[in-house]
Amino acid sequence: MTYLGLAIGHHLLVFSLLGILVAERALMVGRLSPDDVRRLGSLDGFYGATAAGILVVGFLRVYFGGKGADFFFANPIFWAKIGAFLLVALLSIVPTIRILAWRRALKSDHAFSPPPDQIRSVRRFLGYELMVFPLIPIFAAAMAMGYGLG
């Protein structure tokens, strides 16, 4: 039962992360109002917390999830999945830093709206994240089917 609960939690967190990422990107159209900046800040906070939850639950699955750590650590597909997750995480740094700066600017100027070039930059990085993200479930499915075990 623990294995099933961990698997369900892990999958729900991964799908939640994708939903949050899509919502962030959907907000990044045209001029951003102060309310949009606040929404982005909240979404980005949920994004970080969800990503941390994925790591925690994922590694609980590795150690307590039935297949054992040796199954995962010996599988190059597992490491490709981790690599894809880390690449998405690295790509998320630019949007997070920018959104935090916008929220700080909003505290000083309650009518603050980010410059269009910064919005385009963040939107572009969110797009890169969305391009890499599908590799995570692709590698997970391949690993579940036994690929990578020689």
Side-chain angles (χ1 to χ4, degrees):
M1 192 59 161
T2 299
Y3 183 66
L4 177 61
L6 289 172
I8 291 168
H10 192 68
H11 287 94
L12 289 175
L13 285 166
V14 170
F15 289 124
S16 296
L17 189 72
L18 179 60
I20 294 166
L21 181 56
V22 168
E24 281 187 329
R25 184 116 195 292
L27 269 174
M28 301 296 291
V29 179
R31 187 168 172 83
L32 297 181
S33 72
D35 285 338
D36 292 334
V37 173
R38 285 194 244 343
R39 265 188 224 100
L40 278 168
S42 295
L43 281 170
D44 206 57
F46 289 131
Y47 183 90
T50 303
I54 289 169
L55 286 175
V56 169
V57 174
F59 280 100
L60 285 172
R61 285 185 75 191
V62 166
Y63 288 105
F64 303 110
K67 293 184 180 180
D70 292 340
F71 169 84
F72 293 99
F73 293 149
N75 192 327
I77 302 296
F78 171 76
W79 293 108
K81 179 181 155 188
I82 295 297
F85 186 85
L86 289 175
L87 182 54
V88 170
L90 289 171
L91 289 167
S92 77
I93 291 170
V94 169
T96 295
I97 289 171
R98 192 62 79 185
I99 291 167
L100 288 171
W102 294 345
R103 289 189 77 184
R104 279 192 306 274
L106 191 57
K107 286 180 183 176
S108 314
D109 174 5
H110 298 294
F112 173 79
S113 180
D117 62 320
Q118 290 182 11
I119 295 170
R120 280 191 302 275
S121 172
V122 170
R123 184 173 169 78
R124 186 173 42 254
F125 272 90
L126 293 169
Y128 296 152
E129 288 179 67
L130 285 166
M131 284 189 269
V132 175
F133 194 95
L135 293 174
I136 299 167
I138 289 169
F139 290 138
M143 193 173 52
M145 300 292 297
Y147 289 92
L149 295 176

